[in-house]
Each structure stands twice: as structure tokens, then as C-alpha cells.
Coordinates of all heavy atoms in Angstrom, one line a residue:
L1 N 1.0 -1.9 14.3 CA -0.4 -1.6 14.3 C -1.1 -1.5 15.6 O -1.9 -0.7 15.8 CB -1.1 -2.5 13.2 CG -2.5 -1.9 12.7 CD1 -2.3 -0.5 12.1 CD2 -3.0 -2.9 11.6
E2 N -0.6 -2.4 16.6 CA -1.2 -2.3 17.8 C -1.0 -1.0 18.6 O -2.0 -0.5 19.2 CB -0.5 -3.5 18.7 CG -1.2 -3.7 20.1 CD -0.7 -4.8 20.9 OE1 -0.1 -5.7 20.3 OE2 -0.8 -4.8 22.1
L3 N 0.2 -0.4 18.5 CA 0.3 0.9 19.1 C -0.6 2.0 18.4 O -1.1 2.9 19.1 CB 1.7 1.4 18.9 CG 2.7 0.6 19.7 CD1 4.2 1.1 19.4 CD2 2.4 0.8 21.2
G4 N -1.0 1.9 17.1 CA -1.9 2.8 16.5 C -3.3 2.7 16.9 O -4.1 3.5 16.9
R5 N -3.6 1.5 17.6 CA -5.0 1.3 18.3 C -5.1 1.9 19.5 O -6.1 2.4 19.9 CB -5.3 -0.2 18.3 CG -5.6 -0.8 16.9 CD -5.9 -2.3 17.1 NE -5.8 -3.1 16.0 CZ -4.9 -4.1 15.8 NH1 -4.2 -4.5 16.7 NH2 -4.8 -4.6 14.6
I6 N -4.0 2.0 20.2 CA -3.8 2.7 21.6 C -3.9 4.2 21.5 O -4.6 4.9 22.2 CB -2.6 2.1 22.2 CG1 -2.7 0.7 22.5 CG2 -2.4 2.9 23.7 CD1 -1.3 0.1 23.0
A7 N -3.1 4.7 20.5 CA -3.0 6.2 20.4 C -3.0 6.6 19.0 O -2.2 6.2 18.1 CB -1.7 6.7 21.1
R8 N -4.0 7.4 18.6 CA -4.2 7.8 17.2 C -3.1 9.0 17.0 O -2.9 9.8 17.9 CB -5.5 8.4 16.9 CG -6.5 7.4 17.2 CD -6.5 6.2 16.3 NE -7.1 6.5 15.0 CZ -7.1 5.6 14.0 NH1 -6.7 4.4 14.2 NH2 -7.6 5.9 12.9
H9 N -2.3 8.9 15.9 CA -1.3 9.8 15.6 C -1.9 11.0 14.7 O -2.7 10.8 13.9 CB -0.1 9.2 14.9 CG 0.5 8.1 15.5 ND1 -0.2 7.0 15.9 CD2 1.8 7.8 15.7 CE1 0.5 6.1 16.5 NE2 1.8 6.5 16.4
E10 N -1.3 12.2 15.1 CA -1.7 13.4 14.2 C -0.7 13.5 13.1 O -1.1 14.1 12.0 CB -1.8 14.7 15.1 CG -2.8 14.6 16.1 CD -2.9 15.9 16.8 OE1 -2.4 16.9 16.4 OE2 -3.4 15.8 18.0
I11 N 0.5 13.2 13.3 CA 1.6 13.3 12.2 C 2.4 12.1 12.1 O 2.8 11.6 13.2 CB 2.5 14.6 12.5 CG1 1.7 15.8 12.6 CG2 3.5 14.7 11.4 CD1 2.5 17.0 13.2
A12 N 2.6 11.7 10.9 CA 3.5 10.6 10.7 C 4.5 10.9 9.8 O 4.3 11.7 8.8 CB 2.7 9.4 10.2
V13 N 5.8 10.5 10.1 CA 6.9 10.9 9.3 C 7.7 9.6 8.9 O 8.1 8.9 9.8 CB 7.9 11.9 10.0 CG1 9.1 12.2 9.1 CG2 7.2 13.1 10.4
I14 N 8.0 9.3 7.6 CA 8.7 8.3 7.2 C 9.8 8.9 6.3 O 9.6 9.5 5.2 CB 7.9 7.2 6.4 CG1 6.8 6.7 7.3 CG2 8.9 6.1 6.0 CD1 5.9 5.7 6.6
T15 N 11.1 8.7 6.8 CA 12.2 9.3 6.0 C 12.9 8.3 5.1 O 13.4 8.7 4.0 CB 13.2 9.9 7.0 OG1 13.7 8.8 7.8 CG2 12.8 11.0 7.8
A16 N 12.8 7.0 5.3 CA 13.6 6.1 4.6 C 13.0 4.7 4.9 O 12.5 4.2 5.9 CB 15.0 6.0 4.9
I17 N 13.1 3.8 3.8 CA 12.8 2.5 3.8 C 14.0 1.8 3.2 O 14.2 1.8 2.0 CB 11.4 2.0 3.2 CG1 10.4 2.6 4.0 CG2 11.4 0.5 3.1 CD1 8.9 2.5 3.3
S18 N 14.9 1.3 4.0 CA 16.2 0.7 3.4 C 16.6 -0.5 4.2 O 15.9 -1.0 5.0 CB 17.3 1.9 3.6 OG 17.5 2.1 5.0
E19 N 17.8 -0.9 3.8 CA 18.4 -2.2 4.2 C 18.8 -2.1 5.8 O 19.2 -3.2 6.3 CB 19.6 -2.6 3.4 CG 19.3 -2.9 2.0 CD 19.1 -1.7 1.0 OE1 19.4 -0.6 1.6 OE2 18.8 -1.9 0.0
A20 N 18.7 -1.0 6.4 CA 19.2 -0.9 7.8 C 18.5 -1.9 8.8 O 19.0 -2.2 9.8 CB 19.0 0.6 8.3
H21 N 17.2 -2.2 8.4 CA 16.6 -3.1 9.4 C 16.3 -4.4 8.9 O 15.5 -5.1 9.4 CB 15.2 -2.5 9.8 CG 15.3 -1.1 10.3 ND1 15.7 -0.9 11.5 CD2 15.0 0.0 9.8 CE1 15.7 0.4 11.9 NE2 15.3 1.0 10.8
L22 N 17.1 -4.9 7.9 CA 17.0 -6.3 7.3 C 17.1 -7.3 8.3 O 16.3 -8.3 8.2 CB 17.9 -6.4 6.1 CG 17.5 -5.8 4.7 CD1 18.6 -6.1 3.7 CD2 16.2 -6.5 4.3
E23 N 18.0 -7.2 9.2 CA 18.2 -8.3 10.2 C 17.0 -8.6 11.0 O 16.6 -9.7 11.3 CB 19.3 -7.9 11.2 CG 19.7 -8.9 12.1 CD 20.9 -8.6 13.0 OE1 21.8 -7.9 12.5 OE2 20.8 -9.0 14.2
G24 N 16.2 -7.6 11.2 CA 15.0 -7.8 12.1 C 13.8 -8.2 11.3 O 12.9 -8.9 11.7
F25 N 13.7 -7.7 10.0 CA 12.5 -7.9 9.2 C 12.7 -8.8 8.1 O 11.7 -9.4 7.6 CB 11.9 -6.6 8.7 CG 11.3 -5.7 9.8 CD1 12.2 -4.7 10.4 CD2 10.1 -5.8 10.2 CE1 11.7 -3.9 11.5 CE2 9.6 -5.1 11.2 CZ 10.3 -4.1 11.9
G26 N 13.9 -9.1 7.6 CA 14.2 -10.0 6.5 C 14.1 -9.5 5.2 O 14.9 -9.9 4.3
T27 N 13.2 -8.7 4.8 CA 13.0 -8.2 3.4 C 12.6 -6.8 3.5 O 12.0 -6.2 4.5 CB 12.0 -9.0 2.6 OG1 10.6 -8.7 3.2 CG2 12.1 -10.5 2.7
L28 N 12.9 -6.1 2.4 CA 12.5 -4.7 2.2 C 11.0 -4.6 2.3 O 10.5 -3.6 2.8 CB 13.0 -4.0 1.1 CG 14.6 -3.8 1.0 CD1 15.1 -3.3 -0.3 CD2 14.9 -2.7 2.1
D29 N 10.3 -5.5 1.8 CA 8.8 -5.4 1.8 C 8.3 -5.5 3.1 O 7.3 -4.8 3.5 CB 8.2 -6.6 0.9 CG 8.3 -6.3 -0.5 OD1 8.5 -5.2 -1.0 OD2 8.2 -7.4 -1.3
R30 N 8.9 -6.3 4.0 CA 8.4 -6.4 5.4 C 8.8 -5.0 6.1 O 8.0 -4.6 7.0 CB 9.1 -7.5 6.2 CG 8.5 -8.9 5.7 CD 9.1 -10.0 6.4 NE 8.6 -11.2 6.0 CZ 9.1 -12.4 6.2 NH1 10.3 -12.5 6.9 NH2 8.6 -13.5 5.7
I31 N 9.9 -4.5 5.8 CA 10.3 -3.2 6.5 C 9.2 -2.1 6.0 O 8.8 -1.4 6.8 CB 11.7 -2.8 6.0 CG1 12.7 -3.8 6.6 CG2 12.0 -1.3 6.5 CD1 14.1 -3.5 6.0
A32 N 9.0 -2.0 4.8 CA 8.0 -1.1 4.2 C 6.5 -1.3 4.9 O 5.9 -0.3 5.4 CB 7.8 -1.1 2.8
A33 N 6.2 -2.6 5.1 CA 4.8 -2.8 5.7 C 4.9 -2.4 7.2 O 3.9 -1.7 7.6 CB 4.6 -4.4 5.6
A34 N 6.0 -2.6 7.9 CA 6.0 -2.3 9.3 C 6.0 -0.7 9.5 O 5.3 -0.2 10.3 CB 7.3 -2.9 10.0
K35 N 6.9 -0.1 8.7 CA 7.0 1.4 8.8 C 5.7 2.1 8.4 O 5.3 3.1 8.9 CB 8.1 1.9 7.9 CG 9.4 1.7 8.6 CD 10.6 2.4 8.0 CE 11.8 2.3 8.7 NZ 12.9 3.4 8.3
S36 N 5.0 1.5 7.3 CA 3.8 2.2 6.9 C 2.5 1.9 7.7 O 1.5 2.7 7.6 CB 3.5 1.7 5.5 OG 3.2 0.4 5.4
E37 N 2.7 1.1 8.8 CA 1.5 0.9 9.7 C 1.2 2.3 10.3 O 0.0 2.4 10.7 CB 1.8 -0.1 10.7 CG 1.9 -1.5 10.2 CD 2.3 -2.6 11.2 OE1 2.6 -2.3 12.3 OE2 2.2 -3.8 10.9
I38 N 2.2 3.1 10.6 CA 1.8 4.3 11.3 C 0.8 5.2 10.4 O 0.0 5.9 10.9 CB 3.1 5.1 11.6 CG1 2.8 6.3 12.6 CG2 3.8 5.6 10.3 CD1 4.0 7.0 13.2
L39 N 0.9 5.0 9.1 CA 0.0 5.8 8.2 C -1.5 5.4 8.5 O -2.4 6.2 8.3 CB 0.4 5.5 6.8 CG 1.7 6.0 6.4 CD1 2.0 5.6 5.0 CD2 2.0 7.4 6.7
E40 N -1.7 4.1 8.8 CA -3.0 3.5 9.0 C -3.6 4.1 10.3 O -4.9 3.9 10.5 CB -3.0 2.1 9.0 CG -2.7 1.5 7.6 CD -2.5 0.1 7.5 OE1 -2.8 -0.6 8.6 OE2 -2.0 -0.5 6.6
S41 N -2.8 4.5 11.3 CA -3.3 5.1 12.6 C -3.4 6.5 12.7 O -3.5 7.1 13.8 CB -2.4 4.5 13.6 OG -1.2 4.9 13.6
L42 N -3.4 7.2 11.6 CA -3.5 8.7 11.7 C -4.8 9.2 12.1 O -5.8 8.5 11.6 CB -3.2 9.3 10.3 CG -1.6 9.4 9.9 CD1 -1.4 9.7 8.4 CD2 -1.0 10.3 10.9
S43 N -4.9 10.2 12.9 CA -6.2 10.7 13.4 C -7.0 11.3 12.2 O -6.4 11.6 11.2 CB -6.0 11.6 14.6 OG -5.3 12.8 14.1
E44 N -8.2 11.7 12.5 CA -9.0 12.2 11.4 C -8.4 13.5 10.9 O -8.5 13.8 9.6 CB -10.5 12.5 12.0 CG -11.3 13.0 10.9 CD -12.8 13.0 11.5 OE1 -13.2 12.2 12.2 OE2 -13.5 14.1 11.1
G45 N -7.7 14.4 11.7 CA -7.2 15.6 11.1 C -5.7 15.4 10.9 O -5.0 16.4 10.6
G46 N -5.2 14.2 11.0 CA -3.7 14.0 10.8 C -3.2 14.1 9.3 O -4.0 14.1 8.3
F47 N -2.0 14.0 9.2 CA -1.3 14.0 7.9 C 0.0 13.2 8.0 O 0.6 13.2 9.1 CB -1.2 15.4 7.3 CG -0.2 16.3 8.1 CD1 1.1 16.5 7.7 CD2 -0.7 17.0 9.2 CE1 2.0 17.3 8.5 CE2 0.1 17.8 9.9 CZ 1.5 17.9 9.6
A48 N 0.5 13.0 6.8 CA 1.9 12.3 6.8 C 2.9 13.1 6.0 O 2.5 13.8 5.2 CB 1.6 10.9 6.0
V49 N 4.1 13.0 6.5 CA 5.2 13.8 5.8 C 6.2 12.6 5.4 O 6.7 11.9 6.1 CB 5.9 14.7 6.7 CG1 7.2 15.3 6.0 CG2 5.0 15.7 7.3
L50 N 6.3 12.4 4.1 CA 7.1 11.4 3.5 C 8.3 11.9 2.6 O 8.0 13.0 2.0 CB 6.2 10.5 2.6 CG 5.0 9.8 3.3 CD1 4.2 9.0 2.4 CD2 5.3 9.1 4.5
N51 N 9.4 11.2 2.6 CA 10.5 11.6 1.8 C 10.2 11.2 0.4 O 10.1 10.1 0.0 CB 11.7 10.7 2.4 CG 12.9 11.0 1.5 OD1 12.9 11.8 0.5 ND2 14.0 10.4 1.9
G52 N 9.9 12.2 -0.4 CA 9.6 12.1 -1.8 C 10.7 11.6 -2.6 O 10.5 11.2 -3.7
D53 N 11.9 11.7 -2.1 CA 13.1 11.2 -2.9 C 13.4 9.7 -2.8 O 14.2 9.3 -3.6 CB 14.4 12.0 -2.4 CG 14.3 13.5 -2.8 OD1 13.7 13.8 -3.7 OD2 15.0 14.2 -2.0
C54 N 12.6 9.0 -1.9 CA 12.9 7.7 -1.8 C 11.7 6.9 -2.4 O 10.6 7.0 -1.9 CB 12.9 7.3 -0.2 SG 13.1 5.5 0.0
P55 N 11.9 6.2 -3.4 CA 10.9 5.5 -4.2 C 10.0 4.5 -3.3 O 8.9 4.3 -3.4 CB 11.6 4.7 -5.4 CG 12.8 5.4 -5.5 CD 13.3 6.0 -4.1
R56 N 10.8 3.8 -2.3 CA 10.1 2.9 -1.4 C 9.1 3.6 -0.5 O 8.1 3.2 -0.2 CB 11.1 2.1 -0.6 CG 11.9 1.1 -1.5 CD 12.7 0.2 -0.6 NE 13.5 -0.7 -1.5 CZ 14.8 -0.5 -1.7 NH1 15.4 0.5 -1.0 NH2 15.4 -1.5 -2.4
V57 N 9.6 4.8 0.0 CA 8.7 5.6 0.8 C 7.6 6.1 0.1 O 6.4 6.0 0.5 CB 9.5 6.8 1.5 CG1 8.5 7.7 2.2 CG2 10.6 6.2 2.4
R58 N 7.7 6.6 -1.1 CA 6.6 7.1 -2.0 C 5.6 6.0 -2.3 O 4.4 6.2 -2.3 CB 7.1 7.6 -3.4 CG 7.9 9.0 -3.2 CD 8.1 9.5 -4.6 NE 7.0 9.9 -5.3 CZ 6.5 11.2 -5.2 NH1 6.9 12.0 -4.4 NH2 5.4 11.4 -5.8
S59 N 6.1 4.6 -2.3 CA 5.2 3.6 -2.6 C 4.1 3.3 -1.5 O 3.3 2.6 -1.8 CB 5.9 2.3 -3.0 OG 6.6 1.8 -1.8
V60 N 4.5 3.7 -0.3 CA 3.5 3.4 0.8 C 2.4 4.5 1.0 O 1.6 4.4 1.9 CB 4.3 3.2 2.2 CG1 5.2 1.9 1.9 CG2 5.1 4.3 2.7
A61 N 2.6 5.6 0.3 CA 1.7 6.8 0.5 C 0.2 6.4 0.4 O -0.7 6.9 1.1 CB 2.0 7.8 -0.5
G62 N -0.2 5.4 -0.3 CA -1.5 4.9 -0.5 C -2.1 4.3 0.6 O -3.3 3.8 0.7
R63 N -1.3 4.0 1.7 CA -1.7 3.2 2.9 C -2.6 4.2 3.8 O -3.1 3.7 4.9 CB -0.5 2.7 3.7 CG 0.3 1.7 2.9 CD -0.1 0.2 3.1 NE -0.4 -0.2 4.4 CZ 0.4 -1.0 5.1 NH1 1.6 -1.4 4.6 NH2 0.0 -1.6 6.2
T64 N -2.8 5.4 3.4 CA -3.6 6.4 4.2 C -4.5 7.1 3.3 O -4.2 7.4 2.1 CB -2.7 7.3 5.0 OG1 -3.6 8.1 5.9 CG2 -1.9 8.2 4.2
D65 N -5.6 7.5 3.9 CA -6.4 8.4 3.1 C -6.4 10.0 3.6 O -7.1 10.7 3.2 CB -8.0 8.0 3.1 CG -8.5 7.8 4.6 OD1 -7.7 8.0 5.6 OD2 -9.8 7.6 4.7
R66 N -5.4 10.1 4.5 CA -5.1 11.3 5.0 C -4.2 12.1 4.1 O -3.6 11.5 3.2 CB -4.4 11.3 6.4 CG -5.3 10.5 7.4 CD -6.6 11.1 7.7 NE -7.3 10.4 8.7 CZ -8.5 9.8 8.7 NH1 -9.2 10.0 7.5 NH2 -9.1 9.2 9.6
P67 N -4.1 13.4 4.2 CA -3.1 14.2 3.3 C -1.7 13.8 3.5 O -1.3 13.4 4.6 CB -3.3 15.6 3.8 CG -4.7 15.7 4.5 CD -4.9 14.4 5.1
V68 N -1.0 13.8 2.4 CA 0.4 13.3 2.4 C 1.3 14.5 1.8 O 1.0 14.9 0.7 CB 0.6 12.1 1.5 CG1 2.1 11.7 1.5 CG2 -0.1 10.9 2.1
L69 N 2.2 14.9 2.6 CA 3.2 16.0 2.0 C 4.5 15.2 1.8 O 5.1 14.5 2.6 CB 3.4 17.0 3.2 CG 2.2 17.7 3.7 CD1 2.6 18.5 4.9 CD2 1.5 18.5 2.7
F70 N 5.0 15.4 0.6 CA 6.3 14.9 0.1 C 7.4 16.0 0.3 O 7.2 17.1 -0.1 CB 6.3 14.4 -1.3 CG 5.4 13.2 -1.5 CD1 4.1 13.4 -2.0 CD2 5.9 11.9 -1.1 CE1 3.3 12.2 -2.2 CE2 5.1 10.8 -1.2 CZ 3.8 11.0 -1.8
C71 N 8.4 15.7 1.0 CA 9.5 16.6 1.1 C 10.9 16.1 0.6 O 10.9 14.9 0.4 CB 9.7 17.1 2.5 SG 10.0 15.9 3.7

């Protein structure tokens, strides 16, 4: 979230929330929380592109009030 305070993003893309980062984060919930922080730093005209086929990615869509496109 600290990087989001420095630079506001116009587009955020999350393709997967999976076990790939378990070593660093410990749980899938922590991975989801870390990846979804980018959604909170979207600029006023920004939007998110999320993988609609991944239930975990779909579950973080509510972390932004900006438009979300599922692909």
C-alpha cells in the first residue's frame, strides 16, 4: 500500500491468487490482501482488469470503487 501512496495507478491487473507465493506470505488470504492493495491505489479515472475465472481474484473486486473488467 505504501507504493500506492507514492504513485496512483491508472490500471491494475490481477491474474491469479494462488499458492505460488505461500512461502513469502504464509496463507492465501495474505496473498490476496497483498495483491489487492493495488486496487485501493487506483487513480480517479482508473480501472481494474481481473481474471474472472479465478474465484480468489473475483473475491477482491470489492476492494475498489473504480470500474472492474473481468476477463
Side-chain angles (χ1 to χ4, degrees):
L1 199 53
E2 185 174 336
L3 289 177
R5 290 186 199 114
I6 295 169
R8 304 297 280 179
H9 302 53
E10 291 183 23
I11 303 170
V13 178
I14 302 176
T15 58
I17 297 173
S18 66
E19 294 82 4
H21 301 289
L22 276 177
E23 184 176 322
F25 291 94
T27 68
L28 287 172
D29 287 340
R30 288 182 182 164
I31 295 168
K35 286 193 170 195
S36 64
E37 285 178 357
I38 194 170
L39 300 176
E40 297 172 6
S41 64
L42 284 168
S43 64
E44 188 172 320
F47 64 94
V49 179
L50 305 180
N51 178 359
D53 293 333
C54 179
R56 289 185 184 111
V57 173
R58 288 186 70 84
S59 73
V60 300
R63 301 268 314 253
T64 186
D65 58 354
R66 306 297 185 234
V68 175
L69 304 171
F70 292 101
C71 60

